[in-house]
Amino acid sequence: MAEEKPLTVVTCTAPVNIAVIKYWGKRDEELILPINSSLSVTLHQDQLKTTTTAAISRDFKEDRLWLNGEEADVGHPRLQSCLREMRRLARKRRGGSAGAAAPLSLAYKVHVASVNNFPTAAGLASSAAGYACLVHTLARLYGVEGELSEVARQGSGSACRSMLGGFVQWLMGERPDGKDSIAQQVAPETHWPELRVLILVHRAEAVVPERMAQMIQFIQQRDFEGFGQLTMKDSNQFHATCLDTFPPIFYLNDVSRRIIALAHRFNAHHGKTKVAYTFDAGPNAVVFTLADTVEEFVEVVKCSFPPESNGDQFLKGLPARPASLSKELLSAVVLEPVPGAIRYILLTKPGPGPQPLDDPNLHLLGADGLPCPRA
């Protein structure tokens, strides 16, 4: 009987993050070193995550990659730089521990399969979750420990922020080799338990350092008024800068602008900042609010953008009870409803960083090192 082929498999998940102080560009394209520090909220993996399985075997003939079930180019330069760096760190670690058990040969090829549980085009940073997940999974596969956000950054800049949970800053750093351009946790996900995030599916150097300090202070004090105002200002200035380039970059569409106006009317009606929007490189709004406002604001969005068919599935993710709106609020906030403009709302909250999945039934690769058939 043939001997069982040696196959070592590790599966992990990693989160999406949403920048509230954005990163406006790179000072080094190859190492992905930013021109400013940035700050993000890590979203909970119960709603949004990337799952990655990595396997090594002496029988694999080449490195291979599958994304959402389709084989992809494993030669992508950013992917290669992460693989190269993780193998280098693994070699370095092996060199430093004489009594280590027989190591998995670093010459073995690796198979990687990765899936997102959210649409890649939803305007969410799928590359951030993807590269954070890749680096975390390879680290466990190769037994590498320590500071790994610097490696994730070389795959996708914002991926370094998905290596940690809660509220995370990516320090721009000063060194030309990028060793100090790493992610640090400002506060854990448990720090602000009332904070909620609604995703409504469908910029530079001088002002940012001051904003970073202010934003960290607002988060530490759980000051939603300050946090919300600064999040919206940073998003607006980022998108104004995109429009100011030539030719201009239009990330926002008409529905995006309607959501912005709706948020301002809602806040004006209440006389304080109760919701705060931000937009990344896409038209979908991410709205921050507190738990006591979620139900009312979801109802306002429903009235402003009445769902066409999937009324029961208009709200996904965390549950929210239906709310009744006052006539005053309706007349002040809901002006011209646009049916069907928003497909759904995903409700989530801050969450932890990458997690291992120890259940072998959750591996994306089978005993042959190829993707398992997906149900």
Side-chain angles (χ1 to χ4, degrees), residues 52-105:
T52 299
T53 296
I56 47 176
S57 166
R58 66 180 181 210
D59 298 303
F60 291 168
K61 302 288 186 283
E62 58 185 348
D63 292 336
R64 293 179 73 182
L65 170 71
W66 291 268
L67 298 178
N68 293 316
E70 302 287 320
E71 187 149 15
D73 176 18
V74 78
H76 191 286
R78 300 254 179 258
L79 180 76
Q80 283 299 316
S81 70
C82 288
L83 271 173
R84 209 166 37 242
E85 187 62 11
M86 292 309 296
R87 284 167 168 157
R88 185 189 71 78
L89 290 171
R91 271 194 303 276
K92 188 176 165 188
R93 179 180 171 273
R94 299 278 151 75
S97 52
L104 294 159
S105 170

Side-chain angles (χ1 to χ4, degrees), residues 127-145:
S127 63
Y131 276 106
C133 207
L134 174 72
V135 168
H136 190 76
T137 306
L138 291 174
R140 291 184 71 87
L141 188 69
Y142 290 133
V144 174
E145 294 166 353

Side-chain angles (χ1 to χ4, degrees), residues 289-341:
T289 189
L290 299 179
D292 60 8
T293 305
V294 166
E295 288 159 5
E296 184 182 62
F297 188 69
V298 166
E299 206 61 44
V300 162
V301 172
K302 235 180 193 170
C303 292
S304 303
F305 306 97
E308 281 187 329
S309 54
N310 61 337
D312 56 333
Q313 267 297 292
F314 187 64
L315 181 68
K316 301 183 180 187
L318 296 173
R321 290 189 300 264
S324 54
L325 305 178
S326 70
K327 285 196 175 71
E328 295 79 27
L329 189 144
L330 278 169
S331 61
V333 177
V334 180
L335 299 187
E336 293 172 18
V338 184

